[in-house]
Amino acid sequence: MTPARLCGTCLSKPSVWTDAKAALQYAFPVDAMIQALKYQADLTLAPVLADLLSAEIASTTRPDCVVPVPIHPARLRQRGFNQALEIGRHLCRKTGNKLLPDACTRTRETPSQTALSWKKRRKNVRHTFACALDFSGQHVAILDDVMTSGATLAEMASVIQRQGAARISIWVVARVLPRSLTNAGQ
């Protein structure tokens, strides 16, 4: 990413990850598709969302592995699946990337990020992930459905970096843009 494309926050506080790719902006109809997958268990949408992301990452450097953002076991029991893992299964089948579904765990249950302000999200996910794998010298892609504030992804990237990863990419289907950015062109 060129410096001209970095925001002021990114320039003053560089992220842990090396690069981030989002297939689309989190807006209709993509937001409705992600919500249907996540909250209505419409698993038929996972391959569609994976295809959208696959097109976005096609020209990127292939990572050594892809790690989906884990959900807490209590939420997994409630929902019955992890949407990031479901998207990852289809994505990695298509791209040939190595998927590591159990590389990291979510160690504590947290309130949903959607109900929190952007400032409270970082505190909400602090010390939430654990990873026992050695990623020394590896390029790891972290996969999730949506990036809002980036707090969850930053926390997970920090854990993976402590495990030795040399490069961390963030791959998401959709990115929520701050209101000031989404309204700038209107």
Side-chain angles (χ1 to χ4, degrees), residues 134-151:
D134 179 6
F135 288 115
S136 293
Q138 292 186 35
H139 175 192
V140 178
I142 299 173
L143 173 68
D144 208 358
D145 55 346
V146 178
M147 178 195 281
T148 306
S149 68

Side-chain angles (χ1 to χ4, degrees), residues 10-29:
C10 296
L11 289 169
S12 65
K13 281 180 116 180
S15 63
V16 177
W17 55 76
T18 311
D19 58 278
K21 294 283 186 182
L24 300 158
Q25 183 177 335
Y26 189 73
F28 188 79

Side-chain angles (χ1 to χ4, degrees), residues 68-149:
V69 172
I71 60 176
H72 190 269
R75 187 156 297 152
L76 182 60
R77 281 189 300 277
Q78 177 187 39
R79 190 176 291 162
F81 65 96
N82 174 349
Q83 71 281 355
L85 175 56
E86 294 306 316
I87 293 167
R89 285 185 178 146
H90 295 284
L91 178 73
C92 290
R93 196 173 302 129
K94 183 174 185 142
T95 63
N97 287 310
K98 182 178 179 182
L99 181 67
L100 298 179
D102 300 317
C104 295
T105 57
R106 198 166 194 128
T107 58
R108 66 183 183 87
E109 194 171 7
T110 57
S112 172
Q113 295 283 79
T114 58
L116 300 175
S117 70
W118 282 37
K119 289 183 179 183
K120 291 181 181 177
R121 290 172 184 229
R122 185 168 217 91
K123 185 177 181 182
N124 186 48
V125 295
R126 195 171 292 139
H127 307 296
T128 300
F129 299 104
C131 182
L133 290 182
D134 179 6
F135 288 115
S136 293
Q138 292 186 35
H139 175 192
V140 178
I142 299 173
L143 173 68
D144 208 358
D145 55 346
V146 178
M147 178 195 281
T148 306
S149 68

